Amino acid sequence: EDKVVQSPLSLVVHEGDTVTLNCSYEVTNFRSLLWYKQEKKAPTFLFMLTSSGIEKKSGRLSSILDKKELFSILNITATQTGDSAVYLCAVRPAPGTSYGKLTFGQGTILTVHP
Amino acid sequence: ETGVTQSPTHLIKTRGQQVTLRCSSQSGHNTVSWYQQALGQGPQFIFQYYREEENGRGNFPPRFSGLQFPNYSSELNVNALELDDSALYLCASSLVSSGGSSGANVLTFGAGSRLTVL
């Protein structure tokens, strides 16, 4: 059974701090790893990673995948209160299985204080 | 372009009752997946619908069923509700090509339906 583990489960920081969120996975047929941000209800897409070692960046957020060690990290620099959310990591199986079947981790709750 | 919309946003049921949740997929998307998110947990895959047929199912009993309509909207039905069914139910849509490939498409999620079973 596919498994995704995120750490830490929760994190409290102050504005301006840099945070690193971790995601490790065990998947039978790996295709891609996705990061989502969930503020109230709807998870919103951040990154999709398919290749090892290639950093994806969007503003203050960046992410990288290591397919050999089976993990990914999500970095947020110069955190703001608006970054407070649950960050979800999910893995997507290879073609031939349900395209919509993502296996999610438990999520990391990030709280940024002013 | 409209996003994924779900209804109702909140509902309360009692044990043993049945519930139907509805989802309109994002414009241009043809595939709908349903997820259950219990409090403090990540979403868990229930099933996916493509071309009006169930196309993959997670570890959920048969009392969880669904439909997809020709306009790609979808329903999730849960019979014989149990207390543990209390959760946020998320619908997500995506585009799968006629060849069956989802390419680089990611899932777009709706805001969910919060179900409380008493």
Side-chain angles (χ1 to χ4, degrees):
Chain A
E1 188 175 315
D2 297 346
K3 188 176 176 184
V4 177
V5 177
Q6 292 185 244
S7 64
L9 293 181
S10 65
L11 194 53
V12 180
V13 300
H14 287 94
E15 273 192 320
D17 288 350
T18 293
V19 298
T20 298
L21 309 183
N22 304 294
C23 175
S24 63
Y25 62 91
E26 295 172 24
V27 179
T28 307
N29 291 301
F30 176 86
R31 180 174 187 181
S32 56
L33 184 143
L34 297 94
W35 284 96
Y36 282 86
K37 177 182 181 183
Q38 186 174 30
E39 290 179 82
K40 293 277 172 78
K41 289 185 180 179
T44 54
F45 171 75
L46 295 175
F47 297 112
M48 181 168 70
L49 304 150
T50 55
S51 301
S52 275
I54 299 174
E55 185 183 51
K56 294 263 182 123
K57 279 188 72 98
S58 176
R60 297 176 294 103
L61 278 67
S62 63
S63 183
I64 198 161
L65 174 68
D66 185 327
K67 289 169 74 173
K68 183 180 176 186
E69 300 297 329
L70 307 183
F71 78 90
S72 173
I73 60 172
L74 174 68
N75 282 316
I76 308 175
T77 59
T79 52
Q80 302 171 358
T81 55
D83 295 327
S84 296
V86 177
Y87 289 84
L88 295 165
C89 171
V91 291
R92 187 178 217 167
T97 54
S98 300
Y99 333 105
K101 181 183 178 182
L102 300 181
T103 299
F104 281 88
Q106 191 172 357
T108 294
I109 302 171
L110 174 64
T111 304
V112 182
H113 288 309
Chain B
E1 179 180 280
T2 56
V4 178
T5 57
Q6 294 188 240
S7 63
T9 53
H10 295 85
L11 70 167
I12 300 173
K13 294 283 187 177
T14 55
R15 262 190 323 177
Q17 285 189 310
Q18 178 264 341
V19 69
T20 297
L21 309 178
R22 294 177 176 81
C23 171
S24 293
S25 59
Q26 180 170 306
S27 177
H29 285 184
N30 59 7
T31 303
V32 172
S33 306
W34 285 92
Y35 287 80
Q36 181 195 66
Q37 187 175 22
L39 201 60
Q41 302 295 317
Q44 277 196 292
F45 176 73
I46 303 174
F47 44 53
Q48 173 182 280
Y49 276 82
Y50 173 60
R51 290 181 173 171
E52 300 177 46
E53 291 188 357
E54 187 180 293
N55 173 248
R57 189 177 185 95
N59 195 22
F60 282 82
R63 59 189 185 84
F64 285 79
S65 64
L67 286 172
Q68 186 182 31
F69 300 99
N71 66 354
Y72 308 120
S73 66
S74 177
E75 285 182 356
L76 165 65
N77 298 292
V78 187
N79 294 321
L81 285 167
E82 301 176 359
L83 297 179
D84 284 349
D85 295 333
S86 294
L88 179 67
Y89 287 85
L90 294 165
C91 169
S93 70
S94 59
L95 174 64
V96 173
S97 70
S98 57
S101 169
S102 63
N105 280 307
V106 298
L107 301 186
T108 302
F109 284 86
S113 295
R114 171 76 63 188
L115 171 65
T116 302
V117 182
L118 302 176

